[in-house]
Amino acid sequence: MRYLLVFLTSVSLWAQDNKIIYILSTPRSLSTVMFRIFENRDDFTGFLEPTIAVHDKEMYPLNTEDWFRDNAFNSYDEIRDQIFKAQENSHVVVKDVLFSSRVGFWLDDSLAKNQDVHFVFLIRHPYKVLKSLYKGNGFVDETFNEIAAYKSLYNLYSQLSLKSSNKVNVVFVEDLLKDPKGELDKVFGFMNIPFSEKSLSWDYLDDSFTGECWHAQLRLDLFHKWHKGALKSTYLKPSANLEIPTNEDLFKDAATDEDRRILRKIYDFQKPYYEKFLSEKGK
């Protein structure tokens, strides 16, 4: 019995060494690429947008009947349980978008006050996010203001910063694209996880990749539609094209004047909260 207790204690302590990296962002923020940076390592298990099926089935039951897989999660409790179960055997990386869950899920003490959980807010300039959303959807309406939710994202960041056992990390996409290796070295160091060169490149994934090992929730065709760029990428390519157009040229390629007006209205509302994130740099 004494040896059994010693064994169980050692297993428990070993499991506690495994960390949970929880990435939060607006959509179209290269968050799936950031997810692959972690998940690509042999010591991580991945959860890609685990809350989206529970949220959408609850909020839009008539529209989402065929959006998700048969084995999609059924509750936030199930999601939390599966994340902690995976932590018993490896580090865990979770990639989520803010609109797809209740804020209370992240503020729950089991996550927010857990010393093994590190929250990462991945922030991209709102012009780039809205432009990518518009291109992917082929239209724009007022719901984009709920999806590209910098205000809600910043409010959650502020609450988690007060509650989390660990400092909440903010990573800017533009910094990541300027200097991938340097920025990732800081990210991993911040979490006290050894940086590996393997994090800088990963395998090309074609249409046969199901995403089951990522606990993907979207049915296969939608999974590939929304993540095809990250699936087919093989490394984080540095970019020199990070300039934002002047005010007069914002969304000039929109299909109609009305589309441009809506995009600009949403941009003007959300941009101040992006700037609030910028003000956190170096703190």
Side-chain angles (χ1 to χ4, degrees):
M1 178 62 73
R2 180 170 65 86
Y3 293 114
L4 177 60
L5 288 173
V6 170
F7 171 75
L8 290 174
T9 300
S10 65
V11 169
S12 175
L13 290 173
W14 175 77
Q16 289 172 8
D17 289 337
N18 292 328
K19 303 180 188 301
I20 297 170
I21 313 305
Y22 212 120
I23 302 168
L24 286 160
S25 70
T26 66
R28 321 311 296 164
S29 294
L30 272 68
S31 51
T32 304
V33 170
M34 176 65 99
F35 171 84
R36 294 204 68 185
I37 286 168
F38 286 93
E39 191 278 336
N40 178 59
R41 294 167 53 120
D42 296 331
D43 52 352
F44 270 89
T45 299
F47 287 78
L48 185 75
E49 297 178 359
T51 62
I52 194 168
V54 176
H55 171 271
D56 283 6
K57 286 179 181 179
E58 180 180 301
M59 299 298 294
Y60 317 108
L62 299 180
N63 299 330
T64 59
E65 291 180 350
D66 60 349
W67 286 7
F68 303 106
R69 306 182 189 213
D70 292 340
N71 64 346
F73 293 125
N74 292 307
S75 70
Y76 293 112
D77 286 342
E78 181 185 2
I79 296 167
R80 189 184 295 107
D81 290 346
Q82 289 300 312
I83 289 172
F84 285 125
K85 182 178 180 181
Q87 187 202 9
E88 294 174 4
N89 299 308
S90 69
H91 296 307
V92 176
V93 58
V94 188
K95 173 259 197 252
D96 236 336
V97 285
L98 185 68
F99 72 84
S100 71
S101 181
R102 297 189 186 100
V103 168
F105 173 75
W106 297 304
L107 292 175
D108 183 272
D109 287 355
S110 63
L111 285 172
K113 291 189 174 182
N114 191 316
Q115 293 185 348
D116 297 329
V117 178
H118 293 263
F119 286 97
V120 177
F121 280 67
L122 184 64
I123 309 300
R124 190 181 191 187
H125 196 284
Y127 168 76
K128 297 286 188 179
V129 166
L130 287 167
K131 184 177 179 181
S132 182
L133 273 173
Y134 181 58
K135 180 179 179 181
N137 281 282
F139 70 92
V140 62
D141 59 28
E142 297 292 345
T143 61
F144 276 37
N145 211 29
E146 300 172 14
I147 297 171
Y150 287 84
K151 178 180 179 180
S152 299
L153 194 66
Y154 186 79
N155 288 341
L156 175 61
Y157 165 77
S158 299
Q159 293 175 77
L160 275 173
S161 294
L162 294 173
K163 194 169 188 179
S164 176
S165 293
N166 296 301
K167 180 177 170 58
V168 180
N169 198 3
V170 178
V171 177
F172 290 91
V173 170
E174 290 75 17
D175 293 339
L176 200 56
L177 292 174
K178 286 177 184 176
D179 181 14
K181 185 174 180 179
E183 196 64 21
L184 289 174
D185 191 44
K186 289 191 291 185
V187 170
F188 279 93
F190 181 83
M191 300 165 192
N192 199 27
I193 298 175
F195 177 70
S196 169
E197 292 286 334
K198 191 172 183 179
S199 295
L200 295 172
S201 61
W202 44 83
D203 293 335
Y204 176 98
L205 300 174
D206 60 24
D207 292 344
S208 66
F209 180 69
T210 67
E212 289 289 338
C213 61
W214 292 357
H215 301 87
Q217 304 290 288
L218 289 171
R219 74 179 192 222
L220 193 58
D221 59 330
L222 292 177
F223 169 71
H224 278 275
K225 173 186 175 181
W226 286 108
H227 301 293
K228 62 183 178 181
L231 292 173
K232 294 179 179 181
S233 68
T234 55
Y235 67 103
L236 184 62
K237 183 179 180 180
S239 175
N241 184 24
L242 299 173
E243 292 186 7
I244 304 301
T246 62
N247 284 341
E248 295 76 15
D249 291 332
L250 284 171
F251 309 112
K252 68 178 182 180
D253 296 329
T256 68
D257 288 342
E258 178 63 7
D259 285 357
R260 183 179 182 186
R261 183 191 71 79
I262 296 173
L263 286 165
R264 182 57 189 265
K265 178 182 176 182
I266 297 169
Y267 173 83
D268 287 342
F269 177 80
Q270 301 291 350
K271 186 173 180 249
Y273 298 95
Y274 168 77
E275 292 171 344
K276 284 179 179 289
F277 275 112
L278 283 177
S279 71
E280 300 293 328
K281 264 192 175 185
K283 289 186 179 180

